[in-house]
Amino acid sequence: MPRPALLDPLFRSLRSIKGVGPQLAALLTRFFGAPDGQDAIALDVLMHMPSGVVDRRRMVGIAEAYLGQVVTLKLHIDRHQPPPRGKPNVPHRIFAHDETGDIQLVYFRAQGGWVEKTLPVGEERYVSGEIGFFNGEKQITHPDYVVEPAQFATLPLVEPVYPLTHGLSSKVLVKLVRQIVQSVPELPEWIPASTKARFHWPDFYAAMQSVHIPETPADAELWGPNRMRLAYDEYLAGQLALLLVRSSLTAARGVARSFTGELTARVEANLPFSLTDGQREAIEEIKRDLAAPDRMSRLLQGDVGSGKTVVALMAMAAVAESGAQSSLMAPTELLAAQHFRTLKPICEAADLGIVLLTGKMAAAERRAALAGIENGEIAIAVGTHALFQSDVAFRNLGLTVVDEQHRFGVHQRLALSEKGRDTDLLVMTATPIPRTLVLTHFGDMAVSVLKDKPRGRQPIDTAVMSIADYDRIIARLKARLDEGAQAFWVCPLVEESEVLQVVSAEDRFAELKKIFGDRVALVHGRMSAAAKQEVMARFQADDLKLLVATTVIEVGVDVPNASIMIIEHAERFGLAQLHQLRGRVGRGSNRSACLLLYKEPLSETAKARLDTIKSTEDGFVIAERDLELRGQGDLLGTRQSGMPGYRLAVPDVHRHLLEWAHDDAAATLERNPGLTGPDGEALRTLLYLFRKDLAIPLIRAG
Ligand code: ADP
Ligand code: MG
């Protein structure tokens, strides 16, 4: 089904709208983040929700208008007092009155003649703005609105306020929104009549009208029926799309695998530890998926250090038993190399062929690796996402494991599934993700959770200290390193700039080198992959005692002997990030410590955040807190990665609607998988409206 013609007015380029010039169109395209090379469309404006309203309904006499209130007054204009010649900084004052008192209107640097024309002496005007005081007199500085009595209807008594950007004025945007809101067609209803009636939800177009042109502040309230309905719509579209992706992934020809049990047994026998119950359970869930004829699409959630890698290894060994190959994709070369180092001895002992693909491999080596992958000698290929994008021809790829990835979105999953039609997929997250976000971003996947950590893990002593205590910190660190401990020293993020981050890390490294000599080394993102790996290998081999690092070590790095984590400028990191960094220690049986260093002054919220990290090691709790504090986009890094953020729904307020939308979408697809009939058509319209038409071709025929 192509896009319903009904929606055409909303898919118009803004350029084609009266009063929008090329400059404004370009500004709005940037502001709304339209996809590359495309213009912003009317729909983008419609979906731009007000962040609040200004209530101008307080129409009182001057005597009852108090400081700080926004009021609308009917004034008689008495006289003007322009600034004296040569004193442009003195404001232009207009004296006015009503039956109850006097007031002044104040304009700074008024343009010649404009004020006189707008507020002619002897006439009446409605004036709306915020009451201020100066020298004991009431005044309004730069009133928001001045209108003639005959034009009173044009004064928005309840005025929506929109997020703006530099160069975009509220007046221009409001005008455009009003124009576009009028063109919203009446659409077929996709919400069941019973739900709609139960919550007193309006139609889509009516909800949009009330939110953008509210008659009372309640019309635009987040928890009012208008915004509720719109939030539900957005969630429903998202859940429907994800479930369509899921059913198309799992319905694709999978392979019902059978296992001999031989390789997995050998792998397990060669592990230096015994599996936890949680790990066993996850492995069983995965094997059940692999044995079923549907294709697997599973998310493995586990806290930092919960031992996800072994679960992946066992899954890959099981796939090898069934005669197929696996690929393990890591987000960085550093991590790919680390996986290879840990897995290799176990795989060799278990007679599983494993190979590492890197960007810097010698040609001959690479050829040999690719040949092994092609002829099937290799059971497990490890590399980065990028490497698997280039052409690696597997003889029989059965399973793709994506490690430590939050940003592996539904588009990437679809792209992967198109490559190998019957490849099973296992995605492992770096830290726990709150349920809301799992539904939003991974609603197309089944989920396994590793709740427990390996036995014998000691709690990590977390302390918060000021960097002003530098000398004491260094003395203590020195004592511990002399005893044989290994430590990380993580340098701060500097305004998202990698270059500055590296500079600060280099400075810190130079300082620490004076004290620790060649026991300390530096690793950062600007170094070559080979150089990074060399440093990491030396640290892993206990050849180095102290590793100064930028956040390149944030995810996945596993050096069980390291027991001290020092994070400088901890107040600049997000909670999930701090948790992830702290998770680099506490992996062995030694008692570990984490030191969060901050620079004074520390704000109340920053203090609260550091206290959260200090008070708990439970990644699930921290993830929820982080969501509350930072909002969903940041947590998954979706803003940068172009994954869907919500425009109408505000998760803090509307979260419960997501669960409903999820259940409703599932029930609908169960009942009507082909989305046929009038109901189906309405839902397809919904998918287009929220630009989820990526999912339309996935709808099952009939
Ligand atoms: P993450 O889930 O953070 O990726 P890893 O897979 O890197 O965790 O495992 C963390 C550490 O715990 C590794 O050093 C690993 O060898 C070890 N480990 C994993 N499973 C167990 C277990 N069942 N018992 C003891 N140690 C384990
Ligand atoms: Mg890991």
Side-chain angles (χ1 to χ4, degrees):
M1 174 178 114
R3 190 175 73 217
L6 205 57
L7 294 178
D8 286 351
L10 297 178
F11 282 79
R12 271 179 306 165
S13 157
L14 288 182
R15 281 169 205 278
S16 73
I17 289 173
K18 215 179 106 224
V20 181
Q23 216 174 338
L24 179 59
L27 179 69
L28 292 170
T29 295
R30 252 177 292 130
F31 184 41
F32 294 132
D36 272 347
Q38 291 177 29
D39 282 347
I41 56 176
L43 190 62
D44 289 316
V45 176
L46 188 71
M47 299 277 184
H48 191 54
M49 291 285 109
S51 51
V53 295
V54 178
D55 188 353
R56 307 187 179 283
R57 290 174 307 167
R58 202 175 152 73
M59 299 181 61
V60 292
I62 294 170
E64 290 151 77
Y66 303 114
L67 179 68
Q69 284 179 340
V70 173
V71 296
T72 300
L73 305 171
K74 191 178 188 186
L75 300 180
H76 185 90
I77 310 302
D78 297 321
R79 88 189 149 85
H80 282 246
Q81 187 188 76
R85 244 171 231 295
K87 299 221 161 161
N89 290 332
V90 175
H92 185 125
R93 288 182 182 276
I94 299 102
F95 296 82
H97 76 273
D98 66 10
E99 309 83 89
T100 68
D102 299 318
I103 193 162
Q104 296 176 25
L105 307 178
V106 180
Y107 290 88
F108 287 89
R109 296 185 169 264
Q111 301 293 328
W114 178 84
V115 191
E116 284 85 349
K117 242 183 281 159
T118 314
L119 293 154
V121 172
E123 292 196 17
E124 298 210 298
R125 289 291 183 269
Y126 282 100
V127 174
S128 187
E130 185 181 324
I131 299 289
F133 261 100
F134 186 71
N135 281 347
E137 306 278 343
K138 282 182 189 170
Q139 65 175 31
I140 298 178
T141 306
H142 291 196
D144 302 322
Y145 290 91
V146 177
V147 302
E148 294 171 34
Q151 300 290 308
F152 179 70
T154 66
L155 202 164
L157 287 179
V158 179
E159 183 183 37
V161 180
Y162 295 94
L164 297 172
T165 181
H166 184 70
L168 178 64
S169 79
S170 169
K171 291 233 161 105
V172 167
L173 184 61
V174 166
K175 193 165 151 248
L176 186 59
V177 170
R178 284 180 163 242
Q179 210 174 330
I180 285 169
V181 119
Q182 312 292 353
S183 68
V184 180
E186 241 180 277
L187 299 171
E189 185 55 81
W190 46 81
I191 299 182
S194 58
T195 308
K196 228 178 129 190
R198 185 163 146 220
F199 300 109
H200 307 285
W201 283 349
D203 287 343
F204 179 82
Y205 81 92
M208 277 293 182
Q209 296 243 339
S210 297
V211 165
H212 285 303
I213 312 176
E215 280 173 8
T216 71
D219 285 344
E221 253 164 23
L222 284 176
W223 48 87
N226 296 312
R227 288 297 300 264
M228 286 286 203
R229 190 228 141 104
L230 295 176
Y232 176 87
D233 288 343
E234 186 168 40
Y235 284 142
L236 185 65
Q239 291 304 303
L240 207 54
L242 282 171
L243 290 175
L244 285 167
V245 169
R246 177 181 187 161
S247 67
S248 89
L249 283 180
T250 53
R253 291 161 286 151
V255 174
R257 303 184 184 282
S258 50
F259 313 112
T260 61
E262 208 180 310
L263 286 167
T264 41
R266 259 189 279 165
V267 165
E268 204 181 329
N270 280 291
L271 293 176
F273 44 73
S274 57
L275 295 170
T276 64
D277 292 345
Q279 283 169 329
R280 276 183 213 289
E281 220 169 280
I283 292 164
E284 280 315 308
E285 282 172 341
I286 291 165
K287 282 173 75 175
R288 231 174 291 142
D289 280 0
L290 294 172
D294 285 355
R295 161 195 277 150
M296 172 167 84
S297 176
R298 185 169 281 278
L299 178 73
L300 177 60
Q301 282 227 65
D303 205 348
V304 176
S306 58
K308 294 180 285 281
T309 317
V310 192
V311 175
L313 176 59
M314 289 292 281
M316 295 190 290
V319 167
E321 284 174 9
S322 77
Q325 299 165 291
S326 301
S327 66
L328 173 57
M329 311 191 344
T332 63
E333 292 228 345
L334 202 66
L335 279 186
Q338 173 185 290
H339 277 324
F340 182 67
R341 260 199 312 276
T342 32
L343 298 183
K344 193 170 172 232
I346 305 168
C347 287
E348 275 175 354
D351 209 12
L352 265 172
I354 183 168
V355 74
L356 173 70
L357 287 175
T358 74
K360 279 259 167 63
M361 281 172 111
E365 208 185 341
R366 184 174 172 83
R367 250 197 318 277
L370 291 178
I373 292 172
E374 208 166 335
N375 69 26
E377 267 166 40
I378 295 301
I380 299 174
V382 184
T384 61
H385 307 299
L387 277 167
F388 286 104
Q389 260 144 37
S390 60
D391 272 331
V392 181
F394 284 88
R395 194 169 107 99
N396 179 15
L397 181 63
L399 170 67
T400 298
V401 181
V402 181
D403 186 30
E404 306 281 9
Q405 265 299 42
H406 278 354
R407 295 175 193 180
F408 195 71
V410 67
H411 288 267
Q412 285 96 321
R413 296 199 286 279
L414 272 177
L416 249 193
S417 75
E418 263 148 34
K419 276 207 159 167
R421 283 299 293 176
D422 46 15
T423 306
D424 289 307
L425 177 64
L426 179 67
V427 175
M428 306 197 283
T429 63
T431 44
I433 308 177
R435 178 161 159 78
T436 334
L437 296 191
V438 170
L439 279 183
T440 306
H441 296 283
F442 300 95
D444 58 321
M445 309 190 83
V447 181
S448 293
V449 181
L450 288 182
K451 291 199 192 71
D452 49 355
K453 288 200 181 164
R455 264 181 298 273
R457 288 282 163 81
Q458 308 245 17
I460 301 172
D461 300 314
T462 302
V464 179
M465 283 174 88
S466 162
I467 186 83
D469 280 329
Y470 187 72
D471 292 340
R472 237 177 57 198
I473 293 159
I474 293 297
R476 257 163 60 179
L477 177 62
K478 188 161 186 310
R480 292 291 303 274
L481 297 194
D482 288 344
E483 288 161 22
Q486 280 185 287
F488 295 99
W489 185 301
V490 177
C491 290
L493 275 172
V494 183
E495 296 179 348
E496 304 287 320
S497 150
E498 204 193 359
V499 181
L500 289 179
Q501 200 181 349
V502 167
V503 169
S504 82
E506 275 169 348
D507 288 351
R508 181 57 72 209
F509 171 65
E511 284 271 309
L512 292 170
K513 200 167 165 63
K514 281 187 219 148
I515 303 158
F516 296 104
D518 51 13
R519 290 192 292 171
V520 52
L522 171 68
V523 62
H524 61 68
R526 298 233 142 185
M527 287 161 60
S528 74
K532 270 187 275 192
Q533 271 158 39
E534 198 212 301
V535 173
M536 284 313 297
R538 283 180 59 207
F539 189 59
Q540 232 139 10
D542 202 11
D543 201 18
L544 292 167
K545 288 294 173 194
L546 179 60
L547 189 65
V548 179
T550 57
T551 42
V552 287
I553 61 141
E554 177 186 344
V555 158
V557 165
D558 183 40
V559 183
N561 188 51
S563 59
I564 301 169
M565 168 61 67
I566 298 174
I567 305 172
E568 198 173 334
H569 270 303
E571 76 278 9
R572 293 188 188 168
F573 291 86
L575 288 187
Q577 219 176 0
L578 288 174
H579 179 60
Q580 185 59 244
L581 282 168
R582 179 173 57 182
R584 300 305 113 220
V585 298
R587 303 187 147 232
S589 46
N590 310 345
R591 186 107 188 162
S592 294
C594 173
L595 205 51
L596 304 173
L597 299 182
Y598 63 86
K599 189 165 176 196
E600 277 160 303
L602 191 61
S603 74
E604 278 304 308
T605 38
K607 187 172 179 316
R609 289 166 56 234
L610 295 184
D611 283 344
T612 302
I613 294 291
K614 186 172 145 67
S615 66
T616 180
E617 265 186 71
D618 185 331
F620 289 88
V621 173
I622 290 170
E624 290 289 349
R625 280 292 287 153
D626 204 21
L627 180 64
E628 280 163 31
L629 291 171
R630 296 208 301 162
Q632 56 133 9
D634 279 6
L635 195 54
L636 294 189
T638 48
R639 254 162 231 154
Q640 300 87 312
S641 67
M643 266 163 66
Y646 292 113
R647 303 200 61 184
L648 308 188
V650 177
D652 278 350
V653 179
H654 300 130
R655 205 174 298 184
H656 63 291
L657 294 172
L658 176 59
E659 309 254 343
W660 294 355
H662 174 78
D663 294 347
D664 290 351
T668 301
L669 284 177
E670 181 94 3
R671 211 175 43 236
N672 183 4
L675 296 186
T676 55
D679 287 2
E681 201 157 307
L683 288 162
R684 287 170 194 240
T685 306
L686 172 74
L687 288 171
Y688 277 110
L689 188 59
F690 284 92
R691 301 173 112 170
K692 299 286 180 200
D693 36 313
L694 150 91
I696 301 253
L698 305 177
I699 297 169
R700 270 192 240 175

